[in-house]
Amino acid sequence: MAYFQSKPTAGRHFLQIPGPSNVPDRVLRAIDNPTMDHRGPDFGIFGKQLLEKVRHVFGTKGHVIIYPASGTGAWEAALANTLSPGDRVLMCETGWFAHLWQEMADRLGIVTDLVRTDWRRGADVAQIEARLREDKAHAIKAVCVVHNETSTGATSRVDEVRRAMDAAGHPALLMVDTISSLGSMDYRHDDWGVDVTVSGSQKGLMLPPGLSFNAVSDKALKASESAKLPRSFWAWQPMLAANATGYFPYTPATNLLYGLDAAVNMLLEEGLENVFARHDRHAEATRRAVRHWGFEIQCAEPRHYSSVLTAVRLPEGHSANALRATILERHNMSLGNGLGQLNDRVFRIGHLGDFGDLQLVGTLGGVEMGLRAAGVPHSPGGVQAAMDYLSGNA
C-alpha cells in the first residue's frame, strides 16, 4: 500500500505520471543508509567519485553542479549565473514548462522574446534562426529551449537548434532544460554545444524530487564573471571551489546523493545506449496502443515524439480528468493531467525510468479498462497492439 492512501487498495499503486517516476528498490536502499559526515574525509572521496560519474550521464567533460532543490531551482541558477537585469533571451514556448521558465525569467528582470508554437511539436528551429539573424546587435544573450516538454510529449531537436545558432553566427548562450529527458533519452551536452544544461532528479534519474543540476560550459563560466543578476545560494563559484575536493559549500542532501550514486551506477551498468533504446521501444508500443484506440497523440510531429511520455488527446466532449479519476478509483493508477491550455483535454502516460515490458502492459491495460468504464468511445485491442510490437522487438 502507498504510504498515504485515502482508500486502501490491494496491490501496488501504478504511478504512471511523467515524473516523479518510480524509485527502484536499489536506489531506495541506498538512500536508507546512515547519514555521512558531509565534512569528513569519506565524504570528500565519495563526492569526487560521484561528480565524475554524473558527467557521463550529461555527456560532458565539464562541470556538473548539484543543488538540493527541484528543477525550478536549476532554472533560476542557469539564468542568475549568466545574465544581467535587462538582458534579452530568446525562448521557445513548446508547452507549459517552457511557459513557466519564461515567467521566471520575466520575474528576474530579464526581457524575453518568445517563439510560440501550437504546443504540438518541439522548438521551431527556423524561427529561432530567423530571430537570431535579425539581431544584428547581438542583444540576445541566451536561447532557452526545453528538450522534452513534459506537458505535451514533444521533444526539441537540440542539435538542430545549435546548428541554427551557428548558421546565424550568433554568440548567444544555449540553455537547455532536460528535467524530464536526462537519463531517458539521448542527450549530449558537449557534442551539441550546450552552455547550460538544467535537470532534476525525479524523472530519468529515478530518484525522489530534491536534487537539481547545472552542467556548464567554459563559455557559460566566462559569462558568469560579468553577470549582474543577484545570486547567493545559486552561485556557481562557491560550488565549484568546494566540489574540487568533493565537498559542497553548504549542507548537501547527503542521502539523496547516495541514491544518485546508485541510480547513475544502474544507468551506466545497463549502458546509456541501451537505456535510450528501451525508452524508445516502450514509447513506440504506447503510441501503437493509442492509435489503435483511435485517439490523437498530442505531439503532431513524429520527428518530435517523446520517449518519456505520451500525451493523449480525447475526443471532443470527453473529460480527460474524469477518465483519470475513473482509472485511479477503479484500478489504482495515476496518470498525468493536462496542464495549462491542455487541462481536461489530454491525459499523459509516463513510460520512463525503472520501467519494463510488464509494467507497460499493465499500464496500458489500466487505461483500456478505464476507457471502457468511463464510456469513452474507442477501439478495443490497444494493449494487444502494444504487445504485438513488444513481442517482435525484444
Side-chain angles (χ1 to χ4, degrees), residues 152-185:
T152 66
T155 300
S156 294
R157 302 296 294 264
V158 176
D159 54 339
E160 294 178 6
V161 174
R162 168 43 70 191
R163 286 198 294 271
M165 295 174 68
D166 291 346
H170 202 286
L173 297 168
L174 175 56
M175 302 189 193
V176 181
D177 169 348
T178 68
I179 291 170
S180 65
S181 58
L182 190 78
S184 297
M185 299 173 63

Side-chain angles (χ1 to χ4, degrees), residues 257-277:
L257 293 177
Y258 295 164
L260 177 62
D261 185 63
V264 171
N265 286 341
M266 290 177 68
L267 292 172
L268 297 181
E269 287 164 11
E270 184 176 354
L272 290 174
E273 289 187 1
N274 295 327
V275 172
F276 304 150

Side-chain angles (χ1 to χ4, degrees), residues 100-147:
L100 291 179
W101 200 8
Q102 184 239 338
E103 279 194 339
M104 171 185 282
D106 288 341
R107 288 194 297 270
L108 291 173
I110 297 165
V111 179
T112 55
D113 296 338
L114 202 58
V115 176
R116 297 186 184 277
T117 74
D118 58 3
W119 289 32
R120 301 201 67 181
R121 63 203 74 244
D124 188 331
V125 175
Q127 277 293 315
I128 290 172
E129 182 174 344
R131 296 281 190 94
L132 294 176
R133 287 186 182 276
E134 291 169 2
D135 180 32
K136 304 297 185 184
H138 295 165
I140 295 170
K141 301 304 180 184
V143 175
C144 298
V145 174
V146 174
H147 182 218

Side-chain angles (χ1 to χ4, degrees), residues 309-364:
L309 75 138
T310 301
V312 184
R313 293 170 66 92
L314 284 188
E316 291 291 343
H318 292 276
S319 166
N321 290 343
L323 172 63
R324 290 174 47 253
T326 297
I327 291 171
L328 178 61
E329 172 71 20
R330 292 190 175 223
H331 307 302
N332 196 24
M333 180 166 72
S334 294
L335 297 171
N337 62 306
L339 298 169
Q341 67 188 43
L342 299 179
N343 178 43
D344 207 27
R345 187 73 183 84
V346 307
F347 67 93
R348 296 174 295 145
I349 303 170
H351 34 74
L352 71 158
D354 186 37
F355 194 70
D357 288 2
L358 293 183
Q359 287 95 330
L360 179 59
V361 171
T363 298
L364 298 176

